[in-house]
């Protein structure tokens, strides 16, 4: 099947793109890498009147470090994140996660902004934004909004963006010297969307975690920043404590049943991921010996 007929515009500035979005409202769709939008249009799941191709808006590209803040433009492609030395140095969790996003051909076109705006609950990058405590920057004709990643994802393919707004950039605090990260997902094949996954960022002080943001994905209608992780802070973690925390995690999750996995399997995998992450972050193999799950 092919897409329904549509008009096409290629603005060269954010202001120009916003004028088009304001004029067409929800009859327009932003085109970034096209890796999710074009398949949806070709299947006629959506049929916009106007496609606003932001590929020529240079101000949306690039990676910059200023002081303690890493800024990534919305049009930055997955492959650019993967190869960036700034990302590897200041947000190594992202470098690790990107390698799990789809396959090289898709990573060559797909963009960070597109992935976040698309908000697939099984996608890796939205969860990384939660783990990294990102601020998502969106622009509309009335100005700019800065939205905490935790408030940005609202449900399956649903975000805080309105049809008249453009996601322009993301800001992340740079990793500190005592930072540690963990990324792991279960998928049928490398490059497939996850069945269950975890992106975590921690601050480690000797034997304890003084900060811990665990963002689970593919286990609910949006990425979830686990409250249960709070039980593991500022204390020497025992297998019993970890078991308690993973019990609390299972209560927090609301995973779906689908052809890939049952809800109970997803809950189990999330608990396995929690144990693996704590063991890896603290370099404590004893915590991943099986008893804690
Ligand atoms: C076979 C296949 C496998 C895939 N596997 C994975 C995977 O394992 N993990 C994963 O995370 N992703 C996967 N993807 C999706 C891929 O990562 C996409 O690149 C990504 O979801 C969308 O990015 P895009 O730049 O292509 O956005 P587009 O397809 O251009 O746009 C996606 C949506 O976001 C909106 N949008 C885009 N940019 C903006 C913006 N700046 N402001 C406002 N709205 C915007 C569009 O209007 C559209 O609704 C896969 C895709 C394919 C085709």
């Amino acid at each position: 099947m092919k897409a329904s007929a549509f008009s096409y515009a290629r603005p060269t500035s954010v202001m120009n793109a916003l004028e088009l979005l304001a004029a067409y409202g929800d009859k327009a769709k932003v085109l970034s890498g096209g890796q999710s939008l074009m398949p949806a249009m070709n299947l006629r799941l959506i049929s916009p009147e106007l496609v606003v191709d932001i590929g020529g808006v240079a101000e949306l590209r690039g990676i910059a470090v200023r002081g303690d803040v890493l800024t990534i433009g919305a049009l930055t492609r997955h492959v650019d994140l993967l190869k960036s030395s700034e990302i590897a140095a200041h947000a190594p969790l992202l470098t690790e996660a990107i390698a799990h996003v789809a396959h090289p051909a898709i990573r060559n076109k797909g963009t960070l902004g597109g992935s976040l705006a698309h908000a697939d609950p099984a996608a890796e990058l939205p969860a990384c934004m939660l783990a990294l405590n990102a601020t998502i920057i969106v622009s509309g004709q009335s100005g700019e909004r800065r939205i905490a990643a935790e408030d940005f994802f609202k449900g399956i393919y649903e975000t805080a963006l309105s049809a008249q707004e453009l996601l322009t950039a993301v800001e992340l605090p740079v990793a500190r010297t005592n930072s540690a990260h963990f990324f792991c997902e279960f998928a049928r094949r490398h490059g497939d969307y996850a069945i269950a996954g975890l992106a975590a960022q921690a601050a480690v002080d000797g034997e304890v975690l003084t900060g811990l943001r665990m963002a689970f994905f593919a286990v609910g209608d949006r990425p979830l920043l686990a409250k249960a992780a709070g039980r593991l802070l500022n204390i020497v973690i025992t297998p019993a404590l970890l078991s308690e925390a993973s019990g609390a995690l299972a209560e927090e999750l609301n995973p779906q049943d689908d052809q890939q996995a049952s809800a109970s399997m997803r809950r189990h995998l999330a608990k396995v991921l929690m144990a693996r992450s704590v063991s890896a972050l603290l370099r404590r193999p004893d915590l991943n010996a099986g008893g804690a799950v």
Side-chain angles (χ1 to χ4, degrees), residues 21 28-40 46 52 54 60 74-78 97-98 100-103 106-107 109-120 122-126 137-138 152 157 159 161-163 165-169 185 187 189-194 217:
L21 294 178
K29 268 287 178 189
V30 174
L31 172 67
S32 190
Q35 299 303 294
S36 299
L37 182 68
M38 294 319 294
I46 46 172
V52 180
I54 57 171
L60 294 175
L75 264 184
T76 309
R77 296 174 308 157
H78 302 330
I98 286 280
H100 296 264
V101 176
H103 308 283
I106 291 155
R107 295 200 292 263
K109 301 290 276 179
T111 63
L112 175 63
S115 178
L116 303 183
H118 187 55
D120 190 311
E124 291 81 359
L125 300 182
I137 304 174
V138 309
F152 184 76
Y157 308 130
T159 69
L161 267 175
S162 80
E165 287 177 317
L166 203 58
L167 195 163
T168 54
E185 69 178 33
R189 293 171 306 184
H190 183 87
D192 282 2
Y193 277 106
F217 54 101

Side-chain angles (χ1 to χ4, degrees), residues 83-106:
K83 291 186 177 165
S84 161
S85 54
E86 281 102 338
I87 299 288
H90 300 298
L93 170 65
L94 266 185
T95 309
E96 204 172 325
I98 286 280
H100 296 264
V101 176
H103 308 283
I106 291 155

Side-chain angles (χ1 to χ4, degrees), residues 195-284:
I195 295 171
L198 170 61
Q201 181 79 8
V204 184
D205 186 0
E207 290 187 13
V208 300
L209 297 168
T210 53
L212 179 59
R213 293 175 68 89
M214 283 185 165
F216 288 87
F217 54 101
V219 289
D221 69 352
R222 69 196 85 175
L224 175 109
L225 195 61
K227 291 193 184 68
R231 295 173 182 243
L232 303 170
L233 286 179
N234 302 313
I235 188 166
V236 175
I237 297 172
T238 59
L241 180 66
L242 183 53
S243 182
E244 247 178 67
S246 69
L249 171 70
E251 295 287 309
E252 262 183 82
L253 301 177
N254 187 17
Q256 68 283 13
D257 277 314
D258 60 25
Q259 66 274 36
Q260 300 243 57
S262 64
S264 65
M265 178 173 164
R266 286 195 158 91
R267 267 202 189 85
H268 175 74
L269 293 178
K271 289 162 73 176
V272 169
L273 287 167
M274 179 182 248
R276 281 193 191 176
S277 69
V278 176
S279 166
L281 291 166
L282 289 169
R283 298 171 199 240
R284 292 256 319 265

Side-chain angles (χ1 to χ4, degrees), residues 120-205:
D120 190 311
E124 291 81 359
L125 300 182
C128 289
M129 295 300 116
L130 260 65
L132 293 170
N133 201 8
T135 302
I136 294 173
I137 304 174
V138 309
S139 286
Q141 282 216 304
S142 51
E144 187 178 277
R145 294 199 292 145
R146 299 170 61 82
I147 307 170
E150 290 151 76
D151 300 325
F152 184 76
F153 301 101
K154 299 288 186 193
I156 301 178
Y157 308 130
E158 230 187 282
T159 69
L161 267 175
S162 80
Q164 285 84 10
E165 287 177 317
L166 203 58
L167 195 163
T168 54
V170 158
E171 285 181 359
L172 307 170
V174 300
R176 293 173 186 273
T177 45
N178 65 340
S179 294
H181 70 274
F182 173 88
F183 183 90
C184 183
E185 69 178 33
F186 295 108
R188 296 276 169 207
R189 293 171 306 184
H190 183 87
D192 282 2
Y193 277 106
I195 295 171
L198 170 61
Q201 181 79 8
V204 184
D205 186 0

